[in-house]
Amino acid sequence: MSESVAVSEKAKQTEDTPNQWEWVDRAIWTERMLAALGNGVKGSKWFSLIDKVYRHSTLQAAWQQVKANKGAAGIDRQSIEGFAANELAYLSELAKDLEQGNYHPQAVRRVEIPKAGGKTRPLGIPTVKDRVVQTAVKRVIEPILEKEFLPMSYGFRPGRSCKDALREVNEHLKAGYTHVVDADLKGYFDNIRHDLLMTRIKEHISDGRLLGLLQSWLEQDIVKGLERWTPTAGTPQGAVISPLLANLFLHPLDEKMTTLGYKMVRYADDFVILCPNASQAQQALEEVRAWVEENGLTLHPDKTHVGDCLIQGQGFEFLGYRFEAGQRWVRQKSWQGFKDKVREKTKRSRGESLRSIIEDLSPMIRGWFGYFKHARRSTFLMLDGFIRRRLRAILRKQEKRPAKGRCREDHRRWPNAYFAKLGLFTMATAHQRASQSRCGNH
């Protein structure tokens, strides 16, 4: 009786800080469990979790999440629509198989998706059923692992974003931490050691059946065309559970660098360490290199470097930006990727009115600007000009006199104001207004 009263009082503590756990599935994570999460559980390990995974409400919530995320069919060719047509039967079947220990994941279909510069990135596509179960497991275990993660880690975490990570980097730079270790882990997601990862999971979870599920996903066969193999390392990019496990694997590195007093900011496998001088930065790199080698990973020799980002040519790239010579620039890949998207939406053969094309184009421009609005204004002036040239070329093609829309006559006939009147979002103007607003607030 006294034990239940103690737990009840602790539960009230979670009500005082609801924002920390407002994202959790409250059908799983009751006040009692959140109190235990905040105050610690016996042996620091969680038992009896599998029943929360195969609970109908958990699977139903997981399915709704998978359905909202859409995505392609896996190796069984079952689409989101196909699962939705008989969802109750499929969810009941999954619940029964999970409860009885008969669930076995199918192979992951691997595809190559295009990257900037003509390169490709491997993407693993689990079946819809496997995505539902992975999502259910994630809903159950994420709070347990999230409780352990440190503030300097931002990737794929609830309530955290790229912008938050960039904001912290900017604060450290302003404070004089301009000697930066820009580290790149070579093929990180494909080289995570399964034994070390499972050891880290077992430090927090002792439910044998749930651990078996996680192990089975690490060992899922991968199918690419006529090839089929069983991975000996890595977590498949594209799997629902992969980002959470990838963060857990790097958590000891976060702890080590934080304990040593370094200002490290990490977003998934992309991280920088900001230092006040060159010698400390070099020492930080050696600490990272030692940890990486101990854990079966490799630093990319060409993409890992140390430099004083105040000096031209010694800058670093992080989350789409390039920090160099006291300025924030859009990194070349991000710049080129944006132009490629504009080209795709402004093909001269596109048989639509200019207003329709602009309506399709403007939201993408707004979104890109929203992220890169801290770059130099010259960036937006150049890209605005590029977009308008593409639109003028469309107008010339529609008049059966194709050209690139660069001549002075085209500018006079279709001035910048012409496109603004049709609703084209102008980044340079938005940047100027934002700058004036910031100045006015100081």
Side-chain angles (χ1 to χ4, degrees):
M1 182 68 178
S2 61
E3 198 173 297
S4 64
V5 171
V7 170
S8 177
E9 288 173 353
K10 289 174 183 175
K12 290 178 183 178
Q13 295 173 18
T14 64
E15 294 171 7
D16 294 334
T17 55
N19 292 339
Q20 183 184 3
W21 301 114
E22 64 182 357
W23 54 272
V24 304
D25 186 338
R26 297 306 294 269
I28 300 169
W29 284 89
T30 61
E31 292 293 342
R32 191 185 190 88
M33 288 179 69
L34 287 175
L37 187 67
N39 294 287
V41 291
K42 187 176 180 180
S44 300
K45 295 183 180 182
W46 289 77
F47 298 81
S48 304
L49 296 171
I50 191 67
D51 62 305
K52 296 165 181 59
V53 174
Y54 62 67
R55 190 183 291 166
H56 178 75
S57 60
T58 306
L59 289 172
Q60 180 63 40
W63 155 239
Q64 292 303 323
Q65 202 172 329
V66 171
K67 184 179 179 181
N69 289 337
K70 300 178 181 179
I75 195 172
D76 62 353
R77 299 180 181 275
Q78 185 180 59
S79 65
I80 292 288
E81 293 76 18
F83 190 99
N86 205 13
E87 64 179 75
L88 291 178
Y90 286 133
L91 292 176
S92 297
E93 181 185 316
L94 280 176
K96 184 178 177 182
D97 286 345
L98 287 164
E99 185 175 6
Q100 297 178 354
N102 296 326
Y103 164 81
H104 302 287
Q106 293 181 268
V108 173
R109 181 168 70 90
R110 173 167 284 194
V111 297
E112 300 289 332
I113 58 174
K115 287 173 61 178
K119 297 181 180 179
T120 61
R121 178 169 66 89
L123 181 69
I125 305 176
T127 64
V128 175
K129 288 182 180 179
D130 289 341
R131 299 207 296 267
V132 170
V133 180
Q134 286 191 16
T135 304
V137 168
K138 184 171 180 282
R139 294 174 79 88
V140 171
I141 72 170
E142 187 170 24
I144 297 170
L145 302 182
E146 181 63 30
K147 171 73 164 52
E148 304 299 319
F149 295 157
L150 299 181
M152 39 69 67
S153 165
Y154 289 91
F156 308 108
R157 293 184 59 191
R160 289 169 166 261
S161 69
C162 292
K163 290 182 179 179
D164 296 322
L166 289 165
R167 194 173 295 117
E168 182 170 346
V169 167
N170 202 49
E171 287 172 1
H172 291 322
L173 291 174
K174 284 182 178 178
Y177 293 82
T178 61
H179 293 263
V180 180
V181 178
D182 184 7
D184 186 277
L185 294 171
K186 192 174 180 180
Y188 173 61
F189 283 88
D190 289 332
N191 290 289
I192 294 174
R193 277 179 53 178
H194 290 171
D195 59 335
L196 291 180
L197 177 57
M198 290 305 300
T199 296
R200 280 160 201 174
I201 295 170
K202 290 173 184 176
E203 290 173 359
H204 309 288
I205 296 169
S206 283
D207 186 314
R209 290 169 65 187
L210 194 145
L211 291 171
L213 275 182
L214 293 167
Q215 184 79 52
S216 71
W217 289 325
L218 295 178
E219 297 172 351
Q220 277 176 284
D221 277 4
I222 297 174
V223 175
K224 180 183 177 183
L226 298 176
E227 298 178 78
R228 184 180 182 120
W229 69 94
T230 303
T232 56
T235 61
Q237 294 189 57
V240 175
I241 204 75
S242 286
L244 181 61
L245 299 184
N247 268 333
L248 178 63
F249 193 84
L250 287 178
H251 176 62
L253 175 62
D254 298 344
E255 289 184 311
K256 175 179 180 176
M257 301 309 288
T258 301
T259 301
L260 292 172
Y262 291 109
K263 308 293 185 185
M264 176 169 152
V265 181
R266 182 171 68 80
Y267 192 94
D269 61 328
D270 192 2
F271 62 91
V272 291
I273 304 164
L274 300 99
C275 303
N277 55 62
S279 61
Q280 192 178 108
Q282 195 60 47
Q283 181 59 40
L285 176 58
E286 294 309 314
E287 296 285 358
V288 169
R289 195 187 306 280
W291 186 92
V292 164
E293 290 175 359
E294 287 171 9
N295 288 269
L297 300 173
T298 308
L299 286 176
H300 199 297
D302 301 325
K303 297 181 181 179
T304 299
H305 77 280
V306 176
D308 181 354
C309 67
L310 293 181
I311 299 174
Q312 191 77 31
Q314 293 190 31
F316 67 96
E317 294 182 351
F318 188 58
L319 300 179
Y321 277 95
R322 180 166 183 81
F323 295 80
E324 185 167 297
Q327 300 283 345
R328 266 211 231 184
W329 311 77
V330 176
R331 74 168 185 165
Q332 190 60 37
K333 281 186 179 179
S334 303
W335 168 283
Q336 197 56 52
F338 175 75
K339 292 180 77 172
D340 289 344
K341 288 179 182 177
V342 171
R343 287 189 183 98
E344 185 64 29
K345 289 180 177 290
T346 56
K347 291 180 178 177
R348 294 179 214 180
S349 57
R350 190 169 172 175
E352 299 175 49
S353 69
L354 190 67
R355 187 179 292 276
S356 296
I357 294 171
I358 287 173
E359 285 177 359
D360 182 36
L361 194 59
S362 283
M364 187 268 286
I365 301 172
R366 285 179 187 274
W368 194 86
F369 173 78
Y371 185 78
F372 287 107
K373 61 186 177 184
H374 297 291
R376 289 170 58 87
R377 186 166 184 259
S378 58
T379 300
F380 308 118
L381 288 168
M382 287 186 278
L383 289 176
D384 283 338
F386 167 74
I387 293 166
R388 286 190 290 262
R389 285 196 301 274
R390 298 284 302 178
L391 295 176
R392 290 186 183 105
I394 290 173
L395 291 170
R396 288 194 62 122
K397 177 71 187 287
Q398 289 175 350
E399 292 185 346
K400 297 189 174 9
R401 42 187 205 98
K404 291 187 176 181
R406 291 176 179 270
C407 69
R408 189 171 297 176
E409 180 191 339
D410 290 341
H411 279 260
R412 281 200 298 264
R413 187 172 180 192
W414 300 299
N416 296 354
Y418 173 82
F419 299 106
K421 192 173 181 180
L422 288 173
L424 181 66
F425 180 76
T426 307
M427 291 187 283
T429 303
H431 184 270
Q432 185 176 21
R433 286 173 181 164
S435 299
Q436 290 170 347
S437 176
R438 284 194 294 270
C439 290
N441 291 330
H442 286 297

